[in-house]
Amino acid sequence: MNRIPRGPAAGLVIFAIVALATALWLRSPGLDIRDGRNDRGGNGIVLGPAWTGGDATPSALAVGEIARSIREHHLAELYLQLPPPNADGALIGIDSARIEALLYECSDARGWAQVNVAGHPFDDPRWRRFFIVDLRRLLDRVPRLRGVQLDFSAIDDVSPALLMLLDELRPALAADTRLLSIAVAGWKEPYFREVARRADQLVAPLDVHASAFAKFSVARNVTFISDSLAWSAEKPVLFRIPPADRLPRALRVVHLAFSQQPPPDHYRGIILDSHTAPDPAAWNELRGHFLRP
């Protein structure tokens, strides 16, 4: 099993990777790898709230197209972004029948309900209770959902109340072996490890905004990839990459992070954070610069 080094050796490896990132930036933003060596077959996609609720129901043609693309590109995970909970912790504006039908068509991928919970009162036991009850109801109505992903990527610090939310949610999921995925942020190591210990899967979002994409941004993302894998308690880790216009830069950063040593066994791949169906250019980029031929 490949393992991320720890202790002094970890520091040397990370330093070497960051130094290489800076040097290579002078020539190109990351590495362009086309042989699929960093594709582990566990990749995924995020689809936005328009697919799960609201008045604009996706057409049968759109559903068929995304199902075909998921199948052709061997995507293993499908994250359906729900509207955020309200002030009471309730989930509203969700069409359970629509989600179930979409997951039926996209049965090649494992379905997750993704909820962004940033800015909500985790320290309020009543809010946590209502939120968990509503999540449980959703899972009961949509049996094809394999689990829940809580998106903490916009939360700067992990609080005791946030950890309490995870501890209280786990029994509700364990009742029928549903899984808990967590989208993390660039937290300090102790916080990151506390969250990882409570998760079944971790998703680490990369930041490759064009305005900030310079050599220090490349190095920061490479370090974040290394830290996320080292601190994950060997839970499955995927890296969420931005929308299609930033896809080439993100893929090169992922390749650069694994240029000095192959990824460890618990690295599963990447997630396209598209919200809508990616356009043909994005699929071509993924096929040509990341997926196994």
Side-chain angles (χ1 to χ4, degrees):
M1 178 183 294
N2 299 315
R3 294 183 183 274
I4 294 291
R6 292 175 171 80
L12 291 174
V13 170
I14 293 172
F15 175 81
I17 294 173
V18 172
L20 178 64
T22 303
L24 288 176
W25 170 258
L26 300 176
R27 300 204 320 254
S28 65
L31 291 181
D32 184 12
I33 303 295
R34 304 188 181 208
D35 60 8
R37 72 186 68 171
N38 295 320
D39 176 17
R40 289 288 175 81
N43 308 310
I45 187 170
V46 177
L47 295 179
W51 294 83
T52 61
D55 297 328
T57 305
S59 67
L61 178 61
V63 172
E65 280 294 308
I66 196 65
R68 179 183 60 80
S69 295
I70 286 172
R71 182 171 58 255
E72 289 183 353
H73 297 89
H74 308 290
L75 300 184
E77 310 284 11
L78 173 58
Y79 303 89
L80 299 176
Q81 188 179 65
L82 307 181
N86 67 13
D88 295 323
L91 298 172
I92 57 175
I94 298 172
D95 188 332
S96 301
R98 185 190 304 182
I99 296 175
E100 181 73 4
L102 176 62
L103 293 176
Y104 173 79
E105 295 296 330
C106 301
S107 58
D108 293 87
R110 185 165 59 170
W112 301 80
Q114 184 194 79
V115 190
N116 190 330
V117 291
H120 289 283
F122 306 120
D123 56 346
D124 182 351
R126 181 175 176 272
W127 186 93
R128 296 198 305 269
R129 183 169 63 254
F130 281 10
F131 175 65
I132 292 170
V133 166
D134 250 18
L135 269 182
R136 183 65 258 175
R137 287 174 180 158
L138 175 65
L139 294 175
D140 290 341
R141 293 195 302 265
V142 187
R144 290 182 183 274
L145 280 170
R146 187 67 184 91
V148 172
Q149 181 184 93
L150 298 186
D151 190 346
F152 292 164
S153 59
I155 297 175
D156 294 332
D157 246 340
V158 177
S159 67
L162 187 148
L163 296 178
M164 289 176 64
L165 171 63
L166 298 180
D167 289 337
E168 293 166 1
L169 177 59
R170 286 310 301 253
L173 298 179
D176 56 4
T177 65
R178 263 26 188 273
L179 301 177
L180 176 59
S181 174
I182 301 174
V184 298
W187 303 315
K188 295 179 180 179
E189 180 177 355
Y191 297 147
F192 195 111
R193 288 188 181 276
E194 283 297 315
V195 171
R197 188 168 61 83
R198 293 164 167 83
D200 297 304
Q201 180 196 76
L202 296 171
V203 171
L206 302 183
D207 178 14
V208 290
H209 289 280
S211 60
F213 200 66
K215 60 185 178 184
F216 63 88
S217 180
V218 175
R220 184 175 64 243
N221 277 285
V222 168
T223 301
F224 179 54
I225 290 172
S226 180
D227 288 345
S228 299
L229 290 165
W231 302 342
S232 66
E234 299 192 355
K235 304 292 179 64
V237 179
L238 298 99
F239 295 96
R240 195 172 77 197
I241 59 180
D245 60 326
R246 286 171 258 156
L247 178 58
R249 293 191 296 272
L251 293 180
R252 284 160 172 76
V253 168
V254 172
H255 292 319
L256 181 59
F258 301 131
S259 59
Q260 295 299 289
Q261 59 178 4
D265 291 345
H266 59 287
Y267 157 76
R268 292 292 187 267
I270 61 169
I271 297 171
L272 299 174
D273 194 357
S274 59
H275 286 213
T276 59
D279 60 26
W283 289 123
N284 288 338
E285 182 71 25
L286 186 68
R287 285 193 301 270
H289 301 269
F290 188 81
L291 298 180
R292 290 187 183 277

